[in-house]
Amino acid sequence: MARIFLMQTRAEMLKFWRVPAFGFFSLGMPLIIFAFFGLRQATQPLYPHAAITVGMYVMASMAAYTVGNVMVFSFGMALAIERGQKQDVLLRASPLPPSIYVLAKVVNAAVFALVALVVLFLFAHFAASVNLGLDTWATLAGRLLLGSIPFIGLGLGFGYLVGPNAAPAVINFVYLPIAFASGIFIPVNQLPDFIRGLAPYLPLHPFVELGWNAIGFPTDRSVSTDILYLLVYAVGFFALAVWAYRRDTAAKFA
Amino acid sequence: MTPAIQLIEATKKYGSFEALKSVSFAIEAGSLVAMLGPNGAGKTTSINLMLGLRRPTSGRALIFGEDPRRIATRQRFGAMLQESGVPQLLKVTELVQMFRSYYPKPLPTDLVIKLAGLEEKANTQVKDLSGGQTQRLYFALAICGDPEILFLDEPTVGMDVEGRRAFLSAIRDFSAKGKTILLTTHYLEEADELAQRVLVIDRGNVIADGSPQEIKSRVAGSKISFTSSAPVDAAALKDLPVSTSDVADHRVTLMTNDPQTVLRELFRRNIDMSNLEVRGADLEEAFLSLTGGH
């Protein structure tokens, strides 16, 4: 069982890293956005007398964006492509346990998200003088990796619903507006009124709050409330994924 | 002994279309069986039921008496499917290693690649393989677990003559090791060359089941057709060694295994013939002779 898991994870990683465009997009985009929003006044306090700087706040926002993006995209794209190429047919006839198949993808996505976080952390540290204790960096990364579980469900849902050609556009069309409306790029209080009312209930809002809270930003809600929101979203998104999976397989494997 | 493969009154409906109509047969362990039939006959549907890729609408499909959907059952067979894909960015060796890990006692990676004739392509990514090489890769994935049963759905499609010959010999070698092999084809000569037993499937039914010799003797190999200036009387064609005859006014079509005798007889009976044509029957026509027309 250990061997099958190792080999499956290795295969997942190999094919993942052989798509340079995805790696570049996932690692590079957060740095570019950070440069836009976080480099200017990076060392200034976020608000008068604040202990945290603009650089820290934008870095935490981008860290949440990055991890959520890796989860939604890696699962959504991989599944859409696999279904498009009918890879699911041969795997289904093989003795690969479905749990190992999913677990290998989770490990691959988590490793990739961690790499993307480290790249972002290094960039923020050296380019924007973001200085945090090692325990704070670790807390931030750990919270975001664990808190990203609902977005795996969302990615799986996309993967079973959308075709391989439409997937990148559809996922961006959903993920980016939610990221904006959740206050990841622009603080919630600067958003248009009707979105401000909606923001606290969007899935990326409790997620980015976990990140903000880790660096000491006083968030509106407590960590436990944010976790509760994420749990509810996890249940909802995985229910969506199961429904989409059944819809897809009912047509092909009934 | 439990048969390696078993369909028990298996029926498969897609909507109102009945792809398989209460089909029953058993395949003993160690045999090499070909399923022969035209496109849409129900071959792939049968294979999909045996692999657990599809569920029978009624009846059962069993592998060594067990449900093919169980992981433990799946470890006992390998499959080469018609419509399936593998990750395009993995290399041949990496993919073989991945599939090997699914089985308890796999064959060594090098041996699998050699058996599939892919030594020179071992470090090539799937996307850069030709059609025939991709087919051989699927064969490698089917055998890498050293399974007891091999399912091969139209395995030689897309292969060139050389590749096909090497492939058929690899199948024979695998069979010689006591493995059970079920392959589908729509070439009678392929079934004849390989199999000990041929199941002929047509429109969802098994219409013949026997040795290649038995099947061949029942299938009309030639088609004779001609136009006559006067309408041909059915009585004039009486007692010819033909399996089916079709008289449409002036146009006569005969299916036979013995074209020489039929022609000699036609000339002797002084039947007026123009546009005379004698050619090998294609499979569709051969099947019509097996089913005795519609």
Side-chain angles (χ1 to χ4, degrees), chain A:
Chain A
M1 222 49 177
R3 181 170 166 71
I4 174 169
F5 171 65
L6 278 177
M7 294 308 287
Q8 190 67 21
T9 307
R10 170 175 172 259
E12 284 294 339
M13 289 186 168
L14 284 170
K15 63 182 185 190
F16 195 78
W17 289 97
R18 283 182 189 152
V19 190
F22 183 74
F24 182 78
F25 187 77
S26 303
L27 295 175
M29 271 312 272
L31 300 191
I32 293 168
I33 302 172
F34 179 82
F36 273 117
F37 292 98
L39 279 186
R40 213 169 70 94
Q41 304 171 325
T43 53
Q44 299 295 308
L46 187 61
Y47 47 89
H49 313 297
I52 53 171
T53 62
V54 171
M56 284 160 68
Y57 178 82
V58 176
M59 186 275 299
S61 305
M62 290 324 301
Y65 168 82
T66 302
V67 176
N69 186 60
V70 166
M71 293 305 168
V72 176
F73 261 91
S74 65
F75 282 89
M77 283 302 300
L79 282 180
I81 290 170
E82 285 174 21
R83 286 193 311 121
Q85 294 176 347
K86 302 192 176 180
Q87 293 181 26
D88 48 344
V89 181
L90 192 57
L91 282 186
R92 223 181 145 89
S94 83
L96 171 66
S99 54
I100 300 274
Y101 167 81
V102 174
L103 203 61
K105 276 193 160 29
V106 170
V107 169
N108 173 55
V111 168
F112 187 74
L114 185 62
V115 170
L117 279 182
V118 170
V119 170
L120 175 70
F121 289 174
L122 289 172
F123 184 78
H125 179 68
F126 290 108
S129 311
V130 173
N131 293 307
L132 297 173
L134 195 63
D135 55 334
T136 310
W137 289 118
T139 306
L140 177 61
R143 278 189 186 183
L144 291 179
L145 288 177
L146 281 175
S148 69
I149 291 171
F151 303 106
I152 294 175
L154 184 60
L156 290 170
F158 276 123
Y160 283 116
L161 286 174
V162 188
N165 297 321
V170 173
I171 296 172
N172 265 326
F173 190 75
V174 175
Y175 187 76
L176 267 179
I178 291 181
F180 263 100
S182 301
I184 283 186
F185 301 112
I186 305 164
V188 175
N189 57 20
Q190 291 171 29
L191 291 169
D193 281 344
F194 74 100
I195 297 175
R196 249 161 79 183
L198 194 67
Y201 306 104
L202 294 174
L204 279 166
H205 188 73
F207 186 56
V208 73
E209 278 209 336
L210 282 186
W212 290 337
N213 179 282
I215 56 154
F217 178 78
T219 49
D220 297 338
R221 293 191 298 232
S222 68
V223 170
S224 43
T225 311
D226 284 332
I227 290 173
L228 197 67
Y229 269 95
L230 287 171
L231 273 176
V232 171
Y233 268 110
V235 171
F237 287 152
F238 275 97
L240 169 82
V242 168
W243 172 79
Y245 167 79
R246 290 206 177 131
R247 177 178 168 274
D248 181 57
T249 52
K252 282 188 289 192
F253 302 114

Side-chain angles (χ1 to χ4, degrees), chain B residues 104-116:
Chain B
K105 285 180 192 135
L107 296 172
T109 305
D110 292 348
L111 178 64
V112 172
I113 287 173
K114 186 166 165 279
L115 287 174

Side-chain angles (χ1 to χ4, degrees), chain B residues 46-109:
Chain B
S46 306
I47 294 262
N48 284 343
L49 294 187
M50 298 168 198
L51 294 175
L53 283 177
R54 296 237 180 222
R55 282 176 205 275
T57 311
S58 64
R60 294 208 292 167
L62 299 173
I63 300 295
F64 292 115
E66 307 263 8
D67 181 356
R69 286 167 184 258
R70 292 177 58 230
I71 298 286
T73 313
R74 285 186 181 181
Q75 287 178 329
R76 302 179 75 175
F77 63 74
M80 201 175 153
L81 305 174
Q82 251 192 96
E83 292 221 343
S84 67
V86 287
Q88 299 290 299
L89 295 177
L90 290 183
K91 294 174 183 171
V92 168
T93 310
E94 292 162 355
L95 205 52
V96 170
Q97 286 169 337
M98 179 178 112
F99 267 77
R100 279 179 81 247
S101 74
Y102 302 165
Y103 295 88
K105 285 180 192 135
L107 296 172
T109 305

Side-chain angles (χ1 to χ4, degrees), chain B:
Chain B
M1 213 175 101
T2 319
I5 306 166
Q6 224 178 337
L7 284 188
I8 304 165
E9 292 174 6
T11 296
K12 182 65 191 176
K13 288 182 187 169
Y14 300 115
S16 60
F17 175 69
E18 219 172 5
L20 217 56
K21 297 166 185 165
S22 190
V23 166
S24 297
F25 60 81
I27 291 173
E28 298 311 314
S31 52
L32 207 175
V33 179
M35 261 171 121
L36 179 69
N39 286 329
K43 303 188 298 291
T44 298
T45 297
S46 306
I47 294 262
N48 284 343
L49 294 187
M50 298 168 198
L51 294 175
L53 283 177
R54 296 237 180 222
R55 282 176 205 275
T57 311
S58 64
R60 294 208 292 167
L62 299 173
I63 300 295
F64 292 115
E66 307 263 8
D67 181 356
R69 286 167 184 258
R70 292 177 58 230
I71 298 286
T73 313
R74 285 186 181 181
Q75 287 178 329
R76 302 179 75 175
F77 63 74
M80 201 175 153
L81 305 174
Q82 251 192 96
E83 292 221 343
S84 67
V86 287
Q88 299 290 299
L89 295 177
L90 290 183
K91 294 174 183 171
V92 168
T93 310
E94 292 162 355
L95 205 52
V96 170
Q97 286 169 337
M98 179 178 112
F99 267 77
R100 279 179 81 247
S101 74
Y102 302 165
Y103 295 88
K105 285 180 192 135
L107 296 172
T109 305
D110 292 348
L111 178 64
V112 172
I113 287 173
K114 186 166 165 279
L115 287 174
L118 285 169
E119 293 102 320
E120 283 165 28
K121 295 286 168 187
N123 286 311
T124 304
Q125 290 186 9
V126 177
K127 65 177 167 54
D128 298 322
L129 296 179
S130 73
Q133 289 161 348
T134 308
Q135 278 299 98
R136 279 186 274 151
L137 169 64
Y138 287 135
F139 180 66
L141 301 181
I143 62 166
C144 70
D146 199 20
E148 293 160 78
I149 306 178
L150 261 188
F151 290 99
L152 308 168
D153 197 4
E154 307 270 351
T156 55
V157 168
M159 286 189 187
D160 56 25
V161 179
E162 196 52 46
R164 188 172 167 276
R165 189 175 307 134
F167 180 77
L168 294 185
S169 115
I171 292 179
R172 272 191 216 98
D173 290 348
F174 217 74
S175 171
K177 289 200 279 179
K179 310 288 186 181
T180 311
I181 301 178
L182 177 63
L183 67 106
T184 71
T185 177
H186 45 240
Y187 303 114
L188 180 56
E189 61 278 25
E190 199 165 279
D192 180 30
E193 228 177 307
L194 276 173
Q196 301 145 350
R197 178 179 167 198
V198 180
L199 290 165
V200 184
I201 301 228
D202 187 42
R203 278 170 263 142
N205 293 299
V206 175
I207 57 171
D209 180 354
S211 71
Q213 288 71 30
E214 285 167 333
I215 302 296
K216 267 199 308 187
S217 68
R218 289 179 55 189
V219 169
S222 302
K223 177 180 176 175
I224 300 171
S225 57
F226 58 87
T227 316
S228 175
S229 56
V232 177
D233 184 2
L237 302 171
K238 222 170 141 250
D239 295 330
L240 288 174
V242 297
S243 50
T244 61
S245 55
D246 179 37
V247 185
D249 240 6
H250 295 257
R251 189 75 194 161
V252 178
T253 308
L254 305 169
M255 301 295 296
T256 178
N257 254 330
D258 190 0
Q260 290 88 344
T261 309
V262 173
L263 286 174
R264 211 177 295 128
E265 235 354 74
L266 290 172
F267 286 120
R268 201 185 60 79
R269 291 181 190 183
N270 258 329
I271 292 168
D272 172 64
M273 294 183 281
S274 56
N275 299 323
L276 176 64
E277 198 187 351
V278 183
R279 60 172 178 80
D282 61 34
L283 191 68
E284 204 62 51
E285 294 162 340
F287 279 118
L288 284 182
S289 69
L290 255 187
T291 50
H294 286 278

